[in-house]
Amino acid sequence: MSTHHWIDVAVQTPAHSQVGGLLSYRSPFVVQPGQLVRVPLGKRDVLGVVWALRDTAPADMPESAVRDVLGVLEGLAPLDPAWRQLVQFSAQYYQRSLGEVALSALPPQLRDLSNEQLARRLKKQNTERTVQTTPGPALSDEQSAVLAQMASGSGPFLLFGSTGSGKTEVYLQAVERMLTTAPQAQALLMVPEINLTPQLEERVQARFGADAVVSMHSGMTPAQRLKGWLAAHAGHARIVLGTRMAIFASMPHLKLIVVDEEHDPSYKQQEGARYSARDLAVYRGRLQNAPVLLASATPSLESWHLSRPAHDDDPGGRYQRLLMPSRIGTGLLPKVRRVDMNKQPRRTVLSAPLVAALQERVERGEQCMLLLNRRGYAPVLHCADCGWKSECQHCSAFRVFHKIDRTLRCHHCGLTERVPRACPECGNADIAPIGRGTEQLEEHLGELLAHVKRPDGAPIRIARIDADTTRLKGALESQLASVHSGEVDILVGTQMIAKGHDFRRITLVAAVNPDTALFSSDFRAPERLFALLMQAAGRAGREAAQSASSEMWVQTFHPQHALFEALKKHDYPAFAASELAERTAADLPPISHQALLRADARTQEAAQALLNAARETLEAQLSADPATADLVMQVSVYPAVPMSMQRVADVERAQMLLESPSRMALQKMLWHLHSVLHQVRSQPEHKGVIRWLVDVDPQAI
């Protein structure tokens, strides 16, 4: 009698295949849920995760058709039930297959290693769990109060602290307390971008020792990623520091999760399973009984709303709000000055008062920072004679003129061409840029301030930091170093420079063109702008001695706008109150919940036809069944529209919005929609559709 075991295995299946992600196999040896196995799939051998053991052979296929497991990856403890539950929830909530989420959460190298290769890597591991703790600075009263509140509550906590209030020290202390009280405990520290990892990594390693800390982000080599993953999975790494992907790290002894700059859109994955690492952090904390600390000087309106105190008949949110309003040291926040651009000559890019202020600072030996809302030299080339603009042939975007190599480059599909000598439509040789990019601003500034000298008599030095100048490895680090050393007088850049960098000598920060965000098709644009400006203001006057004279300048045609009024007072709660009132009136998130269904097709008509057919079929099917009829009332499904970036790389894209005050109703609707889409897609009239995808809680519409 053969002793074989029937098991269900999660494997990476194509997103839209009807295979839900779990496949049945026969195993000649005993395995446990959470173990990694190699199994045959089609003609390939693939890595899979054992998800469940079955008592009997699968009923829907003959026993002879069930294939055998090829082998087990030895030497690894099984992935624990909490990790499997996190993956299962993510797949359900974000509407992807279980296998896709499970396998993309594992380091890619695991797929290719034999047992011998894996054994060699496991042997090399440092298995010490020692943590050296170097004492941190003395805490302020506010920091101590916040830590005491964390010790007595269970969270999730939202730490709302002004820029420079010492939030990082609070979580390093929280990590230290947790590590010293529990001998095996692990902490997960999340940051939004790779750029911010090295700075924090240095601080954390200096505090707890290099052996206790591993990093996880997409900039690492596959070998580094595997090494860090193995150390966290085995429990040797006590602290994992990472970007959004780290939320899926296997950490069996997880006891604390910190999400720094929790409002940052980078926590939302933009392809594949479009998960929000911040939201999953809150779910995972609840699952593993680990307190979660979300921290920001400008929290997302979602988290702010969820941490609202109880009021009248509103029971309040389920997060606990912690406050740290003061800056450490005697530093004051910069004074905000608004320049009314209606009073400046037409087409002014940098107003006279701002230029004079920049000159004065440079002559005193201080540094300034100019913030622009767009990268590239000048967004678009155009011909004044016939109106031609440098559109991209493959996308519905304009290509951007990059002066340094005289190219037109599409920032969406990457199409790059040399700049034409004359207008391709009418032959006019005089084609010129419209709008200002960072390169052009850098050039314009150089002309305006060419006569200005530094205190040592040397000419002024202007540097630019944006996605283009930091493309090469190490470029950002060397550019930041030249700012820190004082070689640079004026720093010009996009939002990249406003994030988390501690520039000590900057005393003036200016937002050159913030108005574009006030009138955007995206309802979150004002929230993003306010966060960006508050972050940028926080970069000014971090030296206490200079903070009294530090300033934030804003050039705007709408100086009385509520957003700038709140900015002037550095008053995030006032901004949040006015913005939440508008969202409530319009039934927008965080009051309601949204999902976006997107279709890509050869033509815009085909993309919209699939979405509208799915909508009609879905509503007809649900209305016909008394058990689901009320769903149609609870969830609004809007007609299909082209996406704002309608064409990318010759593919037309359309979207359809689903919205509901109930997250549960929206989830049920999406579950029904899934089968309807497969049904509609198989009809011959929809063969022009390339793919469709669902984005739950989308960050941009």
Side-chain angles (χ1 to χ4, degrees):
M1 174 181 160
S2 66
T3 53
H4 48 232
H5 312 268
W6 305 103
I7 59 172
D8 286 341
V9 179
V11 294
Q12 174 107 39
T13 49
H16 294 313
S17 65
Q18 290 281 22
V19 183
L22 283 183
L23 298 178
S24 300
Y25 288 92
R26 190 169 37 202
S27 174
F29 19 74
V30 179
V31 290
Q32 296 168 28
Q35 269 189 301
L36 296 176
V37 289
R38 294 211 181 286
V39 293
L41 178 66
K43 295 196 166 74
R44 299 176 303 139
D45 299 348
V46 297
L47 185 67
V49 182
V50 178
W51 217 257
L53 312 181
R54 310 172 60 115
D55 299 331
T56 55
D60 52 0
M61 55 198 289
E63 276 192 33
S64 57
V66 181
R67 300 171 76 178
D68 279 352
V69 170
L70 302 168
V72 175
L73 231 60
E74 287 160 16
L76 288 181
L79 291 152
D80 61 12
W83 185 87
R84 301 200 304 277
Q85 179 56 43
L86 172 71
V87 165
Q88 194 147 357
F89 170 79
S90 308
Q92 279 165 345
Y93 187 82
Y94 294 107
Q95 305 284 316
R96 304 297 286 197
S97 79
L98 180 61
E100 179 194 15
V101 178
L103 274 282
S104 56
L106 299 173
Q109 267 205 338
L110 269 181
R111 299 175 197 186
D112 315 322
L113 293 183
S114 67
N115 273 343
E116 296 71 47
Q117 292 168 309
L118 181 61
R120 281 206 295 277
R121 284 178 175 65
L122 290 168
K123 215 151 105 194
K124 282 190 209 152
Q125 277 196 311
N126 173 5
T127 54
E128 291 294 306
R129 292 175 189 231
T130 48
V131 177
Q132 51 160 65
T133 46
T134 332
L139 294 178
S140 69
D141 293 349
E142 281 179 10
Q143 287 173 321
S144 306
V146 160
L147 282 159
Q149 282 174 285
M150 281 183 69
S152 61
S154 59
F157 302 100
L158 174 66
L159 173 56
F160 166 52
S162 69
T163 337
S165 62
K167 291 188 289 291
T168 312
E169 189 50 45
V170 167
Y171 27 97
L172 293 182
Q173 286 277 349
V175 169
E176 188 175 321
R177 291 178 186 193
M178 179 221 55
L179 293 178
T180 45
T181 50
Q184 289 192 311
Q186 293 177 297
L188 174 59
L189 288 183
M190 297 182 66
V191 291
E193 302 204 13
I194 302 179
N195 297 339
L196 302 177
T197 329
Q199 302 191 346
L200 191 56
E201 198 170 32
E202 278 171 32
R203 263 182 91 165
V204 178
Q205 287 184 346
R207 271 295 264 287
F208 303 110
D211 292 341
V213 186
V214 296
S215 289
M216 288 191 185
H217 56 74
S218 56
M220 299 167 70
T221 65
Q224 290 170 325
R225 270 173 74 172
L226 178 65
K227 190 179 170 191
W229 186 88
L230 290 172
H233 176 63
H236 308 149
R238 303 291 300 279
I239 301 169
V240 171
L241 176 62
T243 51
R244 61 176 175 254
M245 65 194 295
I247 191 56
F248 288 112
S250 169
M251 300 177 73
H253 310 293
L254 183 63
K255 290 284 178 281
L256 172 71
I257 305 179
V258 175
V259 184
D260 189 21
E261 306 286 2
E262 66 87 32
H263 65 277
D264 197 297
S266 310
Y267 282 121
K268 181 89 159 96
Q269 169 73 14
Q270 290 305 336
E271 61 228 14
R274 290 167 151 71
Y275 63 88
S276 157
R278 175 198 64 211
D279 296 351
L280 286 180
V282 173
Y283 178 83
R284 186 171 187 178
R286 204 165 56 214
L287 201 61
Q288 293 191 251
N289 211 359
V292 177
L293 177 65
L294 310 176
S296 175
T298 51
S300 63
L301 287 180
E302 280 77 6
S303 301
W304 188 251
H305 183 64
L306 280 168
S307 67
R308 67 193 185 281
H311 179 71
D312 297 343
D313 48 2
D314 177 0
R318 57 172 205 274
Y319 296 2
Q320 187 179 343
R321 196 180 287 177
L322 309 173
L323 305 172
M324 285 185 7
S326 318
R327 281 185 112 168
I328 297 278
T330 49
L332 307 163
L333 281 163
K335 189 172 164 213
V336 175
R337 305 187 57 158
R338 291 169 285 192
V339 178
D340 185 346
M341 296 303 278
N342 296 299
K343 301 195 171 119
Q344 296 294 319
R346 258 187 74 212
R347 292 222 166 131
T348 301
V349 180
L350 295 169
S351 58
L354 175 57
V355 174
L358 292 170
Q359 175 171 350
E360 189 186 319
R361 304 267 165 179
V362 172
E363 287 172 343
R364 285 210 302 257
E366 295 169 18
Q367 290 176 313
C368 306
M369 179 164 110
L370 292 193
L371 194 63
L372 191 74
N373 253 356
R374 174 177 278 141
R375 66 179 196 183
Y377 175 68
V380 183
L381 284 185
H382 82 134
C383 165
D385 285 7
C386 75
W388 170 85
K389 292 182 181 59
S390 57
E391 282 161 308
C392 171
Q393 296 96 288
H394 306 294
C395 302
S396 54
F398 292 104
R399 283 182 300 160
V400 172
F401 172 42
H402 287 257
K403 186 172 183 189
I404 215 147
D405 51 2
R406 295 204 57 79
T407 55
L408 287 173
R409 197 175 294 166
C410 174
H411 286 177
H412 290 271
C413 75
L415 177 71
T416 304
E417 285 180 355
R418 311 255 333 132
V419 170
R421 290 223 160 81
C423 169
E425 307 257 306
C426 74
N428 168 22
D430 188 20
I431 46 178
I434 38 175
R436 299 271 158 173
T438 38
E439 259 177 81
Q440 197 176 7
L441 193 61
E442 177 188 20
E443 201 173 274
H444 186 58
L445 253 182
E447 291 161 8
L448 289 173
L449 299 174
H451 61 289
V452 177
K453 298 277 185 281
R454 302 166 54 141
D456 60 6
I460 186 168
R461 274 181 264 190
I462 299 170
R464 168 168 67 94
I465 293 188
D466 58 19
D468 295 317
T469 64
T470 54
R471 199 170 284 145
L472 300 174
K473 203 169 170 62
L476 181 68
E477 289 69 29
S478 63
Q479 288 175 324
L480 293 175
S482 66
V483 178
H484 289 300
S485 66
E487 285 171 44
V488 170
D489 302 305
I490 300 181
L491 180 59
V492 176
T494 47
Q495 57 195 21
M496 197 182 249
I497 54 176
K499 290 192 175 167
H501 302 297
D502 208 346
F503 299 127
R504 288 278 157 192
R505 307 180 188 186
I506 286 184
T507 60
L508 184 150
V509 173
V512 180
N513 63 341
D515 286 354
T516 47
L518 298 179
F519 308 100
S520 162
S521 57
D522 180 5
F523 69 85
R524 283 194 180 88
E527 178 184 350
R528 302 251 194 278
L529 175 67
F530 192 81
L532 180 66
L533 296 180
M534 283 280 279
Q535 257 181 329
R539 306 273 80 83
R542 296 197 93 152
E543 289 284 300
Q546 296 174 332
S547 74
S549 65
S550 68
E551 291 177 339
M552 163 108 200
W553 286 59
V554 176
Q555 297 192 142
T556 171
F557 288 94
H558 308 275
Q560 308 307 295
H561 195 284
L563 188 148
F564 299 128
E565 292 285 349
L567 182 70
K568 188 170 174 62
K569 303 189 190 80
H570 299 281
D571 190 348
Y572 170 82
F575 167 74
S578 76
E579 195 66 12
L580 275 171
E582 286 190 21
R583 301 261 189 105
T584 306
D587 273 335
L588 287 167
I591 310 305
S592 66
H593 305 281
Q594 295 180 329
L596 215 47
L597 173 63
R598 186 178 115 194
D600 294 2
R602 292 276 164 244
T603 66
Q604 185 59 227
E605 295 71 36
Q608 290 188 31
L610 175 84
L611 298 178
N612 287 327
R615 173 178 178 237
E616 284 153 27
T617 311
L618 180 68
E619 295 195 334
Q621 282 183 9
L622 296 177
S623 305
D625 180 351
T628 54
D630 56 338
L631 263 187
V632 181
M633 307 307 295
Q634 289 173 297
V635 183
S636 313
V637 184
Y638 294 95
V641 294
M643 284 183 65
S644 56
M645 175 55 55
Q646 148 173 353
R647 200 161 101 235
V648 168
D650 285 327
V651 172
E652 286 283 341
R653 313 190 305 170
Q655 66 184 32
M656 183 167 87
L657 181 66
L658 293 86
E659 197 170 59
S660 174
S662 153
R663 185 168 273 177
M664 193 62 120
L666 182 61
Q667 280 285 312
K668 281 186 188 157
M669 191 68 140
L670 291 172
W671 187 82
H672 289 290
L673 180 64
H674 197 81
S675 56
V676 166
L677 278 163
H678 278 297
Q679 182 189 328
V680 172
R681 168 82 187 273
S682 60
Q683 296 162 355
E685 63 266 34
H686 296 298
K687 63 175 190 291
V689 174
I690 301 165
R691 69 181 80 84
W692 48 265
L693 54 92
V694 177
D695 187 354
V696 183
D697 305 328
Q699 283 301 294
I701 290 185

